[in-house]
Amino acid sequence: MRRSPTVSLLFFACFLFVACGSQKVVLVVSDDTYDVAAFQLDGTIQGTELIPKMQSTDRALLVQDDGEVGYVGGRSGTLFAVDLTTSSPTLKTGSSSGQPGFVTLSNEITDIAQANPILLVTAGPGEGSNRGATVSSVLSGPMNEADVLNFGPAGTSGTIDVCDDQSTVLVAFRGGGKVRNLTVGPQGSLTDTGASFQPPLAPTEIECAPGSQAGIVVGTQSPAGPGPKAQTFTTANMNVVETLNLAAASSEKDNPIGHSAEFNASGSAVFVFSSAGSPTTPPGRPVGAGGSGFVERIAFNASTGGVGSRMETTVAPAAHPTVGIDLLDLGPDGQRLYVTQPANDEVLILDPTNLSIQGSVRGTVSSPIAIDSGGR
């Protein structure tokens, strides 16, 4: 998910980006181990850290805008804090940091976003009396859960983002849930504004465009039509502007899926990742025959939600369906678009202007899937 231009609120969706002194670093999380790794913008690897009790399916993580702390979701709603001020990412503990190193929330962690002041907001299926579609806010300093909204049986895994006005919150749930407009207060109080729409897809990620006036939701195949789709909308009244078939929808391979979206800093373009088919190559078939991934660059009007010209490039597909996980991230300088390739154990670096491959990063973690570059 995109970060606000100022330091603060966090919401669950996973990847990491770090500042080592003045050196920004990207953080990635493994899809098949409990490791996260940080690397510099040029691909130089900083180090790895083991995250206890990390979930096997959801890889939610986020770095706060100042780049000093990362947040990683664990099993049963546990949120861990990671110190990013050292040369290698280090799990925070109360004794070493003077602050709690984790908090257990009312809901499972599936996506993270950021707002001001520094709060964490999570979306996912809750436990116990909160079971259902829930959103939580967390005061990141004391690591205290501040508020919870329970939407009942409105879906399962959720995706969330905060607009750069620092108060508008966009959330969507898989399993028939609506795309909703919430607000967050300075102490973490959450309010459902009632503005919403029902998407013709199972949402996998939602993003608010710079300027807070429009957004995009990406999703998987639905009864409304074959293949993954995206819908753009205005945030004030939650009116749908455009419905797009993503590149994977035109693939002849099975199981097309929409994964992630990321806006550039001006909001003039949005990058979307979709894939189809298996990430592995069937025996006796050419390499790449198992599936294909697609990264698209779509011209965007951040005031109206309208879209324009599109270009795409083919990459390896994602390993499986995802919710709230960023498989692509635009670096803080806007010069590099990072795309995780779990099937190939690498992170591709693309030119965001033409999507040409500029290089790759290997040796971070096994099957890197979630990635983030913090505030811009």
Side-chain angles (χ1 to χ4, degrees):
M1 78 198 46
R2 188 185 51 83
R3 301 304 183 283
S4 62
T6 59
V7 178
S8 281
L9 191 59
L10 303 163
F11 298 51
F12 285 50
C14 299
F15 6 89
L16 238 48
F17 195 86
V18 185
C20 188
S22 61
Q23 176 66 60
K24 289 285 188 178
V25 299
V26 183
L27 190 71
V28 292
V29 62
S30 171
D31 192 38
D32 57 14
T33 71
Y34 291 178
D35 296 315
V36 295
F39 63 88
Q40 296 175 13
L41 300 185
D42 63 2
T44 302
I45 298 172
Q46 296 282 94
T48 62
E49 176 64 304
L50 177 68
I51 305 298
K53 300 197 304 181
M54 187 181 287
Q55 292 169 292
S56 59
T57 55
D58 296 318
R59 290 296 197 254
L61 68 89
L62 183 73
V63 170
Q64 66 186 35
D65 285 343
D66 61 12
E68 294 185 356
V69 182
Y71 299 90
V72 184
R75 186 174 291 117
S76 301
T78 305
L79 171 65
F80 293 95
V82 180
D83 186 353
L84 303 177
T85 62
T86 56
S87 59
S88 181
T90 304
L91 195 65
K92 294 184 70 172
T93 63
S95 59
S96 65
S97 65
Q99 294 179 340
F102 69 93
V103 63
T104 300
L105 306 177
S106 301
N107 55 352
E108 296 290 345
I109 299 167
T110 59
D111 200 4
I112 311 170
Q114 185 172 20
N116 192 5
I118 301 176
L119 304 171
L120 299 175
V121 177
T122 71
E127 296 184 341
S129 61
N130 273 341
R131 182 167 295 279
T134 61
V135 175
S136 296
S137 64
V138 175
L139 300 175
S140 62
M143 296 291 279
N144 290 334
E145 187 170 41
D147 198 5
V148 181
L149 283 183
N150 188 351
F151 296 99
T156 54
S157 298
T159 174
I160 195 165
D161 197 21
V162 179
C163 297
D164 55 18
D165 62 8
Q166 297 290 279
S167 63
T168 301
V169 180
L170 304 176
V171 64
F173 297 95
R174 289 178 61 84
K178 295 180 179 180
V179 177
R180 301 173 185 270
N181 180 311
L182 316 179
T183 60
V184 60
Q187 298 303 315
S189 60
L190 295 166
T191 303
D192 184 358
T193 68
S196 65
F197 67 88
Q198 185 72 52
L201 47 82
T204 55
E205 188 166 45
I206 195 166
E207 292 284 314
C208 188
S212 307
Q213 298 184 64
I216 188 170
V217 60
V218 175
T220 59
Q221 188 170 348
S222 71
K229 296 180 182 292
Q231 284 192 310
T232 67
F233 56 92
T234 55
T235 59
N237 47 22
M238 300 300 281
N239 285 339
V240 173
V241 178
E242 303 270 5
T243 299
L244 310 172
N245 287 320
L246 299 180
S250 62
S251 172
E252 296 181 358
K253 297 180 172 67
D254 295 333
N255 303 316
I257 301 167
H259 295 287
S260 302
E262 173 87 349
F263 285 100
N264 65 2
S266 67
S268 62
V270 61
F271 304 94
V272 181
F273 185 23
S274 61
S275 62
S278 170
T280 58
T281 300
R285 300 289 302 280
V287 174
S292 297
F294 305 89
V295 176
E296 297 180 73
R297 185 186 192 277
I298 304 172
F300 193 82
N301 186 319
S303 297
T304 66
V307 300
S309 61
R310 301 168 66 169
M311 67 174 69
E312 68 182 66
T313 191
T314 303
V315 297
H320 53 71
T322 59
V323 179
I325 295 178
D326 282 335
L327 282 74
L328 49 77
D329 188 82
L330 189 63
D333 59 3
Q335 302 301 307
R336 300 173 179 90
L337 181 66
Y338 300 98
V339 182
T340 57
Q341 300 279 265
N344 295 341
D345 285 333
E346 68 177 343
V347 176
L348 290 180
I349 303 175
L350 306 185
D351 182 332
T353 61
N354 58 21
L355 301 183
S356 62
I357 297 176
Q358 302 299 300
S360 67
V361 183
R362 289 181 172 271
T364 56
V365 292
S366 173
S367 301
I369 189 165
I371 190 167
D372 191 32
S373 59
R376 290 194 283 278

